Amino acid sequence: MTLPYPFREGIYSALHCRWTLTLKTPLLIRHGSCGAYKNNTEGYKKGRGQDKEFSWQKKNNEADKHTWAEVADFNFQFSLGSDGKLTVDYSIPPSSIRGALRQWAIKQMVERNQRSCFQPPKLEGFSEEEKTSLLKQHRSEVRNYAEDTGHNWHHILSLFGNAFEFTSEEIEKIDELEKLEEKETMTWAGRLKVTTTIKQSSNLGIDGIDAEHMPSNAPDNIQRHINVRNPLDRMTMAAKDKGLHHALEMSPGQEFDVELNILNPGPKDIEMVRLWEEDINDGFLRFGGLTSQGRGRCELSTADATEYKLYASVTSGLAGCITSAEKTEDKILDGFWTGASFTRDELYTVFEKLDKLLKADESPS
């Protein structure tokens, strides 16, 4: 058995998958900064009224605090164009999508009592001798899960990577391990890379706020609205005093692309992609914050519209499966690699053939 370090044998294949997702419910991804908005309608301060104004900057002086409401901003990023011009746009962090996919994989593929094994154990209240024993036991369990190629943790860690390691003080407590291989680092990068691109929307701006009341320096590349939440007091069941929370959310109907790039893909990876796609459409896999309150539900474009490109070294078994699919092949890297575009069903057929080949090679002759 061995730890699932990716690329021990190099990179010999790659899968590119592009999803086009349409929001069915609002998406909430907070940036950490705040803007503000106010109601200019006479007789209304922060409540109803049609004449609303938005500011991308938080209002700090006391006079403004009585008329402006603080709004948690949606995630945005700054970037430099090829002309050297600085721009700012709202964006969906790839880490947010990747984190949701990883959490889904753990919940669906790992037993409940094994899900927290890659978190450091709680050692409060134990003696030094007991702490040493607990750390040794925990490290041994973690290694067993990671090394067992038949365990789903092994596959999840290979795909998403791993950043589990004890502190230097904890390492000193368990430094009595005799086997050198048991001291190998348990940190490595995964085989999956995620990128996101927001599609241009025809309905820009903030719902309910006219263009002349929008700041010129704020990002304006998504369809969005201001959501208002008011927590309740648990004792009186009435609205909490000063409990209103305003947040900027991406509105339903906004489209964005998610690209999955998987190096050295295998049959288990393709099965996971299939399950991700099904659970996205069924609403079980959502993105962003407040998913338990219905946020972040998306709809995936039809399977025929989803793009799958598969590439493999001509010396690999996967290359033979691509050739047998009788698709128009794209020879790249001076013919050392071959590739083709597939529909979802065709892609699954290719990896079913690969799975049979791998099982045949593993069976005794």
Side-chain angles (χ1 to χ4, degrees):
M1 293 185 180
T2 180
L3 291 173
Y5 293 123
F7 322 125
R8 285 183 180 273
E9 300 177 358
I11 298 174
Y12 47 82
S13 60
L15 172 67
H16 171 81
C17 171
R18 177 183 293 165
W19 292 337
T20 296
L21 300 176
T22 304
L23 276 180
K24 306 304 291 182
T25 61
L27 177 67
L28 175 64
I29 302 178
R30 293 179 179 174
H31 179 268
S33 63
C34 293
Y37 93 105
K38 70 173 182 176
N39 198 327
N40 294 322
T41 305
E42 186 176 354
Y44 299 96
K45 292 184 178 180
K46 298 181 182 179
R48 298 178 179 86
Q50 301 301 317
D51 188 14
K52 298 179 182 178
E53 184 176 350
F54 181 78
S55 172
W56 196 39
Q57 293 181 328
K58 180 180 177 180
K59 302 298 180 179
N60 293 317
N61 60 65
E62 291 298 325
D64 288 336
K65 287 183 178 179
H66 294 287
T67 55
W68 289 84
E70 190 174 282
V71 181
D73 207 353
F74 194 84
N75 183 76
F76 59 84
Q77 66 179 18
F78 292 93
S79 58
L80 282 172
S82 57
D83 57 354
K85 184 178 180 181
L86 181 67
T87 60
V88 57
D89 293 299
Y90 288 115
S91 63
I92 300 174
S95 59
S96 178
I97 304 298
R98 195 175 189 271
L101 298 178
R102 182 181 185 275
Q103 192 64 21
W104 177 96
I106 294 173
K107 286 185 176 180
Q108 297 297 323
M109 300 174 65
V110 178
E111 295 182 13
R112 186 181 295 272
N113 62 343
Q114 299 173 354
R115 293 175 187 171
S116 61
C117 68
F118 282 86
Q119 299 175 5
K122 296 181 179 180
L123 302 175
E124 294 82 1
F126 292 96
S127 66
E128 291 301 316
E129 185 178 347
E130 290 172 329
K131 288 180 181 179
T132 301
S133 177
L134 286 172
L135 286 170
K136 285 183 178 181
Q137 180 182 354
H138 188 70
R139 186 179 177 89
S140 177
E141 291 177 354
V142 167
R143 288 189 63 87
N144 288 337
Y145 288 138
E147 289 180 341
D148 185 0
T149 56
H151 199 283
N152 285 329
W153 260 125
H154 181 94
H155 177 66
I156 292 172
L157 297 175
S158 171
L159 186 62
F160 289 96
N162 188 36
F164 175 86
E165 194 53 270
F166 292 118
T167 64
S168 58
E169 294 180 358
E170 292 169 336
I171 290 291
E172 290 178 2
K173 294 181 183 294
I174 56 176
D175 202 29
E176 300 173 4
L177 296 172
E178 297 178 357
K179 296 182 180 180
L180 180 62
E181 60 270 19
E182 291 186 359
K183 296 183 181 180
E184 286 182 297
T185 179
M186 296 191 65
T187 300
W188 56 83
R191 296 180 290 109
L192 171 64
K193 180 182 178 181
V194 178
T195 59
T196 59
T197 305
I198 296 177
K199 289 183 172 291
Q200 185 68 34
S201 174
S202 58
N203 299 319
L204 299 178
I206 299 177
D207 187 31
I209 301 180
D210 296 333
E212 58 266 25
H213 290 158
M214 291 291 295
S216 59
N217 62 338
D220 188 25
N221 62 309
I222 63 171
Q223 187 177 342
R224 58 204 187 276
H225 63 272
I226 296 176
N227 179 54
V228 182
R229 299 172 63 232
N230 190 3
L232 300 179
D233 187 289
R234 294 184 178 182
M235 300 300 294
T236 64
M237 298 306 295
K240 283 187 176 182
D241 185 33
K242 299 181 180 179
L244 280 178
H245 300 290
H246 301 78
L248 204 60
E249 299 179 335
M250 187 182 291
S251 301
Q254 175 70 53
E255 292 185 343
F256 60 97
D257 285 341
V258 173
E259 295 186 17
L260 309 178
N261 296 293
I262 303 177
L263 298 177
N264 298 347
K268 283 189 176 181
D269 298 322
I270 306 307
E271 178 63 16
M272 190 176 292
V273 170
R274 182 185 68 83
L275 293 174
W276 283 339
E277 293 174 346
E278 291 180 356
D279 274 11
I280 287 174
N281 280 332
D282 291 339
F284 296 116
L285 176 52
R286 303 186 181 198
F287 305 107
L290 300 182
T291 55
S292 61
Q293 299 182 21
R295 303 291 195 277
R297 179 168 183 173
C298 300
E299 182 180 60
L300 185 67
S301 61
T302 61
D304 291 338
T306 303
E307 181 181 54
Y308 305 91
K309 290 184 177 180
L310 182 62
Y311 301 94
S313 167
V314 293
T315 60
S316 66
L318 184 55
C321 298
I322 294 175
T323 301
S324 64
E326 298 181 350
K327 301 287 290 185
T328 302
E329 295 187 61
D330 181 18
K331 297 291 184 180
I332 59 176
L333 301 177
D334 292 330
F336 288 104
W337 278 50
T338 184
S341 297
F342 296 92
T343 65
R344 187 171 67 177
D345 292 340
E346 291 171 343
L347 184 69
Y348 297 151
T349 300
V350 168
F351 278 90
E352 283 177 357
K353 293 180 180 179
L354 178 64
D355 193 29
K356 292 179 181 179
L357 288 176
L358 294 175
K359 291 178 179 179
D361 292 339
E362 292 175 358
S363 62
S365 56

